[in-house]
Amino acid sequence: MDYHSVLDDFVAKNREFCKHELQDEDWEAIALVAQWLKSFRSATTQMSMTKHPMLSWTHAIFRGLQDSLADSLHSLPNNTPPPLHQGLLNAHRKLSDYYGKSDESSYYTWASRMAQILL
């Protein structure tokens, strides 16, 4: 990570922050969160790139984000801090709640069919 050495150097030069120095397990947790955030950034970038966003593409991108979070959940190391595991699980559940709303709208049903045709 680009900021690992910068933060370590800062703490080394400022003794009052030594008690807040990040340990290896902290850096591992930061790496996990950074990886998850890349999925959200990618989804946001994909939805922001088009001049004419289409519901079918948004639906497909949203599903891809949900799948990415599910993959991350399945590949979490055993030593993942419980709050991080719970946070990722909560994010996946919230996306599932939103995705489940698609069953309530004929627009999403239509968009889903269009996405299957286009993909």
Side-chain angles (χ1 to χ4, degrees):
M1 281 179 253
D2 297 343
Y3 40 86
H4 187 209
S5 61
V6 173
L7 287 174
D8 284 347
D9 289 345
F10 178 80
V11 170
K13 292 176 186 173
N14 298 279
R15 292 182 166 242
E16 68 269 19
F17 294 110
C18 286
K19 63 183 175 188
H20 301 293
E21 184 175 16
L22 297 172
Q23 304 302 313
D24 288 341
E25 55 272 2
D26 299 320
W27 286 112
E28 290 170 11
I30 290 169
L32 284 173
V33 172
Q35 177 186 346
W36 304 335
L37 291 175
K38 285 180 184 178
S39 296
F40 282 94
R41 180 178 183 227
S42 175
T44 301
T45 301
Q46 289 174 1
M47 286 192 272
S48 301
M49 280 196 297
T50 65
K51 290 183 181 181
H52 307 287
M54 296 187 319
L55 189 55
S56 58
W57 288 113
T58 303
H59 196 261
I61 291 167
F62 186 82
R63 181 62 184 188
L65 178 58
Q66 189 180 27
D67 290 345
S68 174
L69 290 180
D71 292 343
S72 294
L73 272 168
H74 292 295
S75 64
L76 282 177
N78 291 333
N79 64 344
T80 300
L84 285 182
H85 181 267
Q86 189 62 45
L88 184 60
L89 186 59
N90 289 346
H92 185 267
R93 285 182 181 154
K94 183 55 77 174
L95 286 172
S96 295
D97 290 346
Y98 289 140
Y99 195 77
K101 292 184 183 293
S102 64
D103 293 336
E104 300 169 9
S105 170
S106 59
Y107 293 113
Y108 287 108
T109 302
W110 178 82
S112 177
R113 289 185 186 140
M114 289 303 296
Q116 290 174 351
I117 292 169
L118 295 172
L119 299 175

PDB file of all heavy atoms in Angstrom, residues 40-54 57-58 61:
ATOM      1  N   PHE A  40     -16.841  -1.254  -5.193  1.00  0.00           N
ATOM      2  CA  PHE A  40     -17.829  -0.179  -5.212  1.00  0.00           C
ATOM      3  C   PHE A  40     -17.407   0.930  -6.174  1.00  0.00           C
ATOM      4  O   PHE A  40     -18.241   1.481  -6.892  1.00  0.00           O
ATOM      5  CB  PHE A  40     -18.031   0.400  -3.805  1.00  0.00           C
ATOM      6  CG  PHE A  40     -18.889  -0.457  -2.931  1.00  0.00           C
ATOM      7  CD1 PHE A  40     -18.315  -1.392  -2.075  1.00  0.00           C
ATOM      8  CD2 PHE A  40     -20.271  -0.350  -2.964  1.00  0.00           C
ATOM      9  CE1 PHE A  40     -19.109  -2.194  -1.261  1.00  0.00           C
ATOM     10  CE2 PHE A  40     -21.070  -1.141  -2.155  1.00  0.00           C
ATOM     11  CZ  PHE A  40     -20.478  -2.069  -1.306  1.00  0.00           C
ATOM     12  N   ARG A  41     -16.120   1.230  -6.188  1.00  0.00           N
ATOM     13  CA  ARG A  41     -15.625   2.259  -7.107  1.00  0.00           C
ATOM     14  C   ARG A  41     -15.843   1.834  -8.555  1.00  0.00           C
ATOM     15  O   ARG A  41     -16.269   2.630  -9.402  1.00  0.00           O
ATOM     16  CB  ARG A  41     -14.145   2.526  -6.858  1.00  0.00           C
ATOM     17  CG  ARG A  41     -13.601   3.585  -7.787  1.00  0.00           C
ATOM     18  CD  ARG A  41     -12.151   3.872  -7.483  1.00  0.00           C
ATOM     19  NE  ARG A  41     -11.686   4.947  -8.343  1.00  0.00           N
ATOM     20  CZ  ARG A  41     -10.561   4.914  -9.004  1.00  0.00           C
ATOM     21  NH1 ARG A  41      -9.750   3.893  -8.875  1.00  0.00           N
ATOM     22  NH2 ARG A  41     -10.209   5.913  -9.762  1.00  0.00           N
ATOM     23  N   SER A  42     -15.549   0.579  -8.840  1.00  0.00           N
ATOM     24  CA  SER A  42     -15.733   0.067 -10.197  1.00  0.00           C
ATOM     25  C   SER A  42     -17.200   0.165 -10.616  1.00  0.00           C
ATOM     26  O   SER A  42     -17.508   0.601 -11.732  1.00  0.00           O
ATOM     27  CB  SER A  42     -15.256  -1.377 -10.275  1.00  0.00           C
ATOM     28  OG  SER A  42     -15.516  -1.920 -11.535  1.00  0.00           O
ATOM     29  N   ALA A  43     -18.106  -0.229  -9.732  1.00  0.00           N
ATOM     30  CA  ALA A  43     -19.537  -0.159 -10.053  1.00  0.00           C
ATOM     31  C   ALA A  43     -19.963   1.289 -10.283  1.00  0.00           C
ATOM     32  O   ALA A  43     -20.688   1.589 -11.236  1.00  0.00           O
ATOM     33  CB  ALA A  43     -20.359  -0.783  -8.928  1.00  0.00           C
ATOM     34  N   THR A  44     -19.486   2.183  -9.434  1.00  0.00           N
ATOM     35  CA  THR A  44     -19.825   3.596  -9.581  1.00  0.00           C
ATOM     36  C   THR A  44     -19.279   4.155 -10.888  1.00  0.00           C
ATOM     37  O   THR A  44     -19.974   4.878 -11.612  1.00  0.00           O
ATOM     38  CB  THR A  44     -19.274   4.407  -8.394  1.00  0.00           C
ATOM     39  OG1 THR A  44     -19.835   3.879  -7.189  1.00  0.00           O
ATOM     40  CG2 THR A  44     -19.605   5.875  -8.517  1.00  0.00           C
ATOM     41  N   THR A  45     -18.047   3.805 -11.205  1.00  0.00           N
ATOM     42  CA  THR A  45     -17.419   4.281 -12.449  1.00  0.00           C
ATOM     43  C   THR A  45     -18.179   3.766 -13.663  1.00  0.00           C
ATOM     44  O   THR A  45     -18.444   4.519 -14.598  1.00  0.00           O
ATOM     45  CB  THR A  45     -15.946   3.838 -12.505  1.00  0.00           C
ATOM     46  OG1 THR A  45     -15.259   4.375 -11.372  1.00  0.00           O
ATOM     47  CG2 THR A  45     -15.273   4.303 -13.780  1.00  0.00           C
ATOM     48  N   GLN A  46     -18.544   2.493 -13.650  1.00  0.00           N
ATOM     49  CA  GLN A  46     -19.276   1.920 -14.782  1.00  0.00           C
ATOM     50  C   GLN A  46     -20.617   2.619 -14.978  1.00  0.00           C
ATOM     51  O   GLN A  46     -21.015   2.902 -16.104  1.00  0.00           O
ATOM     52  CB  GLN A  46     -19.494   0.422 -14.561  1.00  0.00           C
ATOM     53  CG  GLN A  46     -18.251  -0.393 -14.686  1.00  0.00           C
ATOM     54  CD  GLN A  46     -18.498  -1.848 -14.323  1.00  0.00           C
ATOM     55  OE1 GLN A  46     -19.600  -2.265 -14.002  1.00  0.00           O
ATOM     56  NE2 GLN A  46     -17.443  -2.647 -14.364  1.00  0.00           N
ATOM     57  N   MET A  47     -21.302   2.912 -13.883  1.00  0.00           N
ATOM     58  CA  MET A  47     -22.607   3.560 -14.009  1.00  0.00           C
ATOM     59  C   MET A  47     -22.481   5.029 -14.399  1.00  0.00           C
ATOM     60  O   MET A  47     -23.417   5.601 -14.946  1.00  0.00           O
ATOM     61  CB  MET A  47     -23.401   3.417 -12.719  1.00  0.00           C
ATOM     62  CG  MET A  47     -23.927   2.016 -12.524  1.00  0.00           C
ATOM     63  SD  MET A  47     -25.142   1.900 -11.210  1.00  0.00           S
ATOM     64  CE  MET A  47     -24.100   1.634  -9.805  1.00  0.00           C
ATOM     65  N   SER A  48     -21.337   5.628 -14.141  1.00  0.00           N
ATOM     66  CA  SER A  48     -21.137   7.045 -14.437  1.00  0.00           C
ATOM     67  C   SER A  48     -20.569   7.290 -15.825  1.00  0.00           C
ATOM     68  O   SER A  48     -20.519   8.426 -16.276  1.00  0.00           O
ATOM     69  CB  SER A  48     -20.188   7.654 -13.410  1.00  0.00           C
ATOM     70  OG  SER A  48     -20.691   7.515 -12.122  1.00  0.00           O
ATOM     71  N   MET A  49     -20.119   6.260 -16.506  1.00  0.00           N
ATOM     72  CA  MET A  49     -19.419   6.424 -17.782  1.00  0.00           C
ATOM     73  C   MET A  49     -20.328   6.713 -18.965  1.00  0.00           C
ATOM     74  O   MET A  49     -19.892   7.307 -19.929  1.00  0.00           O
ATOM     75  CB  MET A  49     -18.585   5.181 -18.107  1.00  0.00           C
ATOM     76  CG  MET A  49     -17.270   5.152 -17.382  1.00  0.00           C
ATOM     77  SD  MET A  49     -16.116   3.962 -18.077  1.00  0.00           S
ATOM     78  CE  MET A  49     -16.927   2.417 -17.841  1.00  0.00           C
ATOM     79  N   THR A  50     -21.527   6.277 -18.899  1.00  0.00           N
ATOM     80  CA  THR A  50     -22.369   6.400 -20.087  1.00  0.00           C
ATOM     81  C   THR A  50     -23.150   7.701 -20.093  1.00  0.00           C
ATOM     82  O   THR A  50     -23.546   8.214 -19.046  1.00  0.00           O
ATOM     83  CB  THR A  50     -23.358   5.229 -20.177  1.00  0.00           C
ATOM     84  OG1 THR A  50     -24.250   5.316 -19.087  1.00  0.00           O
ATOM     85  CG2 THR A  50     -22.649   3.894 -20.158  1.00  0.00           C
ATOM     86  N   LYS A  51     -23.354   8.227 -21.274  1.00  0.00           N
ATOM     87  CA  LYS A  51     -24.168   9.443 -21.416  1.00  0.00           C
ATOM     88  C   LYS A  51     -25.644   9.115 -21.238  1.00  0.00           C
ATOM     89  O   LYS A  51     -26.433   9.955 -20.842  1.00  0.00           O
ATOM     90  CB  LYS A  51     -23.938  10.070 -22.785  1.00  0.00           C
ATOM     91  CG  LYS A  51     -22.580  10.686 -22.948  1.00  0.00           C
ATOM     92  CD  LYS A  51     -22.459  11.344 -24.300  1.00  0.00           C
ATOM     93  CE  LYS A  51     -21.077  11.944 -24.461  1.00  0.00           C
ATOM     94  NZ  LYS A  51     -20.923  12.620 -25.753  1.00  0.00           N
ATOM     95  N   HIS A  52     -26.013   7.901 -21.589  1.00  0.00           N
ATOM     96  CA  HIS A  52     -27.414   7.488 -21.529  1.00  0.00           C
ATOM     97  C   HIS A  52     -27.511   6.206 -20.700  1.00  0.00           C
ATOM     98  O   HIS A  52     -27.555   5.101 -21.253  1.00  0.00           O
ATOM     99  CB  HIS A  52     -27.966   7.241 -22.934  1.00  0.00           C
ATOM    100  CG  HIS A  52     -27.750   8.401 -23.854  1.00  0.00           C
ATOM    101  ND1 HIS A  52     -28.461   9.577 -23.744  1.00  0.00           N
ATOM    102  CD2 HIS A  52     -26.878   8.574 -24.868  1.00  0.00           C
ATOM    103  CE1 HIS A  52     -28.042  10.420 -24.670  1.00  0.00           C
ATOM    104  NE2 HIS A  52     -27.078   9.841 -25.366  1.00  0.00           N
ATOM    105  N   PRO A  53     -27.526   6.344 -19.372  1.00  0.00           N
ATOM    106  CA  PRO A  53     -27.602   5.139 -18.542  1.00  0.00           C
ATOM    107  C   PRO A  53     -28.887   4.369 -18.822  1.00  0.00           C
ATOM    108  O   PRO A  53     -29.935   4.964 -19.060  1.00  0.00           O
ATOM    109  CB  PRO A  53     -27.569   5.670 -17.114  1.00  0.00           C
ATOM    110  CG  PRO A  53     -27.651   7.135 -17.189  1.00  0.00           C
ATOM    111  CD  PRO A  53     -27.546   7.562 -18.608  1.00  0.00           C
ATOM    112  N   MET A  54     -28.758   3.073 -18.815  1.00  0.00           N
ATOM    113  CA  MET A  54     -29.922   2.214 -19.050  1.00  0.00           C
ATOM    114  C   MET A  54     -30.150   1.358 -17.820  1.00  0.00           C
ATOM    115  O   MET A  54     -29.202   0.894 -17.186  1.00  0.00           O
ATOM    116  CB  MET A  54     -29.683   1.322 -20.267  1.00  0.00           C
ATOM    117  CG  MET A  54     -29.546   2.092 -21.560  1.00  0.00           C
ATOM    118  SD  MET A  54     -29.466   1.046 -23.046  1.00  0.00           S
ATOM    119  CE  MET A  54     -28.442  -0.308 -22.590  1.00  0.00           C
ATOM    120  N   TRP A  57     -28.378  -2.038 -17.787  1.00  0.00           N
ATOM    121  CA  TRP A  57     -26.954  -2.046 -17.449  1.00  0.00           C
ATOM    122  C   TRP A  57     -26.756  -1.813 -15.960  1.00  0.00           C
ATOM    123  O   TRP A  57     -25.913  -2.448 -15.331  1.00  0.00           O
ATOM    124  CB  TRP A  57     -26.184  -1.004 -18.254  1.00  0.00           C
ATOM    125  CG  TRP A  57     -26.037  -1.385 -19.679  1.00  0.00           C
ATOM    126  CD1 TRP A  57     -26.601  -0.773 -20.759  1.00  0.00           C
ATOM    127  CD2 TRP A  57     -25.315  -2.499 -20.208  1.00  0.00           C
ATOM    128  NE1 TRP A  57     -26.266  -1.422 -21.908  1.00  0.00           N
ATOM    129  CE2 TRP A  57     -25.472  -2.495 -21.608  1.00  0.00           C
ATOM    130  CE3 TRP A  57     -24.549  -3.510 -19.637  1.00  0.00           C
ATOM    131  CZ2 TRP A  57     -24.889  -3.443 -22.433  1.00  0.00           C
ATOM    132  CZ3 TRP A  57     -23.974  -4.458 -20.462  1.00  0.00           C
ATOM    133  CH2 TRP A  57     -24.152  -4.423 -21.837  1.00  0.00           C
ATOM    134  N   THR A  58     -27.528  -0.909 -15.399  1.00  0.00           N
ATOM    135  CA  THR A  58     -27.437  -0.638 -13.964  1.00  0.00           C
ATOM    136  C   THR A  58     -27.763  -1.904 -13.189  1.00  0.00           C
ATOM    137  O   THR A  58     -27.085  -2.240 -12.211  1.00  0.00           O
ATOM    138  CB  THR A  58     -28.404   0.499 -13.576  1.00  0.00           C
ATOM    139  OG1 THR A  58     -28.084   1.650 -14.353  1.00  0.00           O
ATOM    140  CG2 THR A  58     -28.317   0.824 -12.111  1.00  0.00           C
ATOM    141  N   ILE A  61     -24.750  -4.255 -13.464  1.00  0.00           N
ATOM    142  CA  ILE A  61     -23.624  -3.762 -12.658  1.00  0.00           C
ATOM    143  C   ILE A  61     -23.902  -3.991 -11.174  1.00  0.00           C
ATOM    144  O   ILE A  61     -23.031  -4.432 -10.425  1.00  0.00           O
ATOM    145  CB  ILE A  61     -23.361  -2.267 -12.954  1.00  0.00           C
ATOM    146  CG1 ILE A  61     -22.817  -2.119 -14.375  1.00  0.00           C
ATOM    147  CG2 ILE A  61     -22.390  -1.669 -11.937  1.00  0.00           C
ATOM    148  CD1 ILE A  61     -22.809  -0.693 -14.892  1.00  0.00           C
TER     149      ILE A  61
END
